[in-house]
Amino acid sequence: MALGKEIKNKTNQNEETTTKQPLIRNTIDPIWGFYTEASPGLIQIKTKGATSGVWESDANLAYTFSAGYFREIAPMLKIKAGFGLSGYKTTLTGSGEIVSQPLVDIDNDTYIETLKILSAEHTINPIYLNVPVSVEYGTVNISQLGYYIDIGFEYSYLISENNTTSGTYSTSGYYPQWGVKLENIPELGFYTDRALDTELTLKKNILSIRAGAGISLPISGVLIFKVGVAAYKGINSIGNGKNINNDNTISEPISKFRTNYAYNPLSTSKGNKPLRFGIEFGLYICKQVK
């Protein structure tokens, strides 16, 4: 009996020793430091709501540069925050015919408007100041090859925009009470091949979700190189939602209808969110390791 008890005690001691044995990684990990990142890629403005099917955005080049601070908050887990710049240039191309709900002209007569957009283009070229905050999981270290996965948010503030517009539109009105269609009568707000003259502007504040993944490679005792892929998805629309009325021959409801399709195709709140994919590369500058 004594021998059996002794064996059980030794077994329990061995199990406790095994349980308490810490996980050992043969790496030298950064505790805190600084980072720089660059991410060239492609961006597309995803249009939904009123402008969907009328205005389309092709994929165009975009870029992001950022730098900031990182700190380990748990094994294999870091928090990162910084500042940066981003920008892109893209063209929204519009073409199509849209029929309105019943509207009222300046004489208070009800009619149905047909709006035709012909080979119209809006080119936008914004530059943003960014504040990215993210959480990173992985084995980034200064002793061997590692990997990382990160996710977070990026706040962007518009600091520059350069927008241009080209193309024409035509409007006509069908009056069901008389069974007639009126065209090219400027005093009623009906035009043929009128040049688009808009005041398209962008929102000052944008919020995006950011995610990335890749590998890291130590290049010295304090520097770690990383390369991977990154994606950004806008949470809110880039358009400012402004209803433009630069025609004193039309009422506010008519102006709102035309704004959504011709004057300001970024005015709707349901869409016009940027979606960007690209590669990313950067450096970790490790100030303290363990």
Side-chain angles (χ1 to χ4, degrees):
M1 295 294 292
L3 178 60
K5 186 175 182 180
E6 182 178 352
I7 293 174
K8 288 181 180 180
N9 290 337
K10 288 184 178 181
T11 301
N12 291 337
Q13 290 175 2
N14 291 336
E15 289 178 352
E16 290 177 1
T17 302
T18 302
T19 302
K20 296 178 180 179
Q21 182 70 25
L23 178 63
I24 299 175
R25 291 176 52 219
N26 296 319
T27 59
I28 303 174
D29 302 325
I31 296 177
W32 69 273
F34 304 98
Y35 73 90
T36 62
E37 291 177 346
S39 178
L42 295 176
I43 191 170
Q44 187 173 23
I45 309 301
K46 307 300 290 185
T47 57
K48 293 183 180 179
T51 60
S52 180
V54 180
W55 291 91
E56 301 293 341
S57 168
D58 294 331
N60 288 269
L61 293 177
Y63 64 88
T64 295
F65 299 101
S66 61
Y69 170 84
F70 73 84
R71 186 171 189 91
E72 184 180 77
I73 56 176
M76 301 177 65
L77 195 64
K78 298 180 181 66
I79 187 168
K80 298 164 55 180
F83 292 93
L85 288 174
S86 65
Y88 60 88
K89 183 177 182 180
T90 189
T91 298
L92 291 96
T93 303
S95 181
E97 181 176 295
I98 310 99
V99 178
S100 75
Q101 298 295 317
L103 298 170
V104 177
D105 65 16
I106 58 174
D107 297 324
N108 291 321
D109 292 321
T110 301
Y111 75 100
I112 307 297
E113 179 166 299
T114 298
L115 171 65
K116 294 181 180 180
I117 300 175
L118 304 174
S119 302
E121 290 185 347
H122 285 295
T123 299
I124 57 177
N125 187 17
I127 298 176
Y128 294 94
L129 175 66
N130 304 319
V131 181
V133 178
S134 60
V135 175
E136 178 184 284
Y137 175 83
T139 60
V140 175
N141 64 89
I142 64 169
S143 53
Q144 62 185 37
L145 187 71
Y147 69 89
Y148 69 91
I149 301 171
D150 61 32
I151 188 169
F153 293 94
E154 183 170 274
Y155 166 77
S156 300
Y157 180 79
L158 183 69
I159 59 175
S160 174
E161 62 177 312
N162 182 18
N163 307 323
T164 59
T165 301
S166 64
T168 62
Y169 71 96
S170 300
T171 56
S172 62
Y174 174 70
Y175 291 78
Q177 62 271 41
W178 299 307
V180 298
K181 181 180 180 180
L182 301 181
E183 299 178 281
N184 200 25
I185 305 178
E187 57 266 30
L188 289 178
F190 302 138
Y191 307 101
T192 300
D193 295 338
R194 186 180 189 185
L196 280 172
D197 181 17
T198 74
E199 300 176 16
L200 183 149
T201 55
L202 305 178
K203 280 184 179 177
K204 289 291 186 181
N205 304 285
I206 301 295
L207 188 62
S208 304
I209 298 175
R210 180 202 177 281
I215 60 173
S216 65
L217 178 67
I219 57 179
S220 78
V222 295
L223 293 178
I224 304 170
F225 175 76
K226 77 168 191 174
V227 62
V229 294
Y232 299 77
K233 176 68 169 66
I235 296 177
N236 55 337
S237 176
I238 64 172
N240 68 355
K242 183 178 181 182
N243 181 25
I244 301 167
N245 188 355
N246 52 13
D247 187 346
N248 57 15
T249 66
I250 61 176
S251 66
E252 186 68 17
I254 299 173
S255 172
K256 186 175 181 179
F257 165 70
R258 296 182 184 178
T259 290
N260 286 341
Y261 294 100
Y263 300 157
N264 185 359
L266 299 178
S267 66
T268 58
S269 60
K270 293 182 179 180
N272 309 307
K273 298 176 182 179
L275 178 63
R276 182 159 67 87
F277 294 95
I279 62 172
E280 68 173 359
F281 52 90
L283 290 174
Y284 296 88
I285 306 169
C286 309
K287 302 299 290 185
Q288 185 178 354
V289 297
K290 66 177 182 179

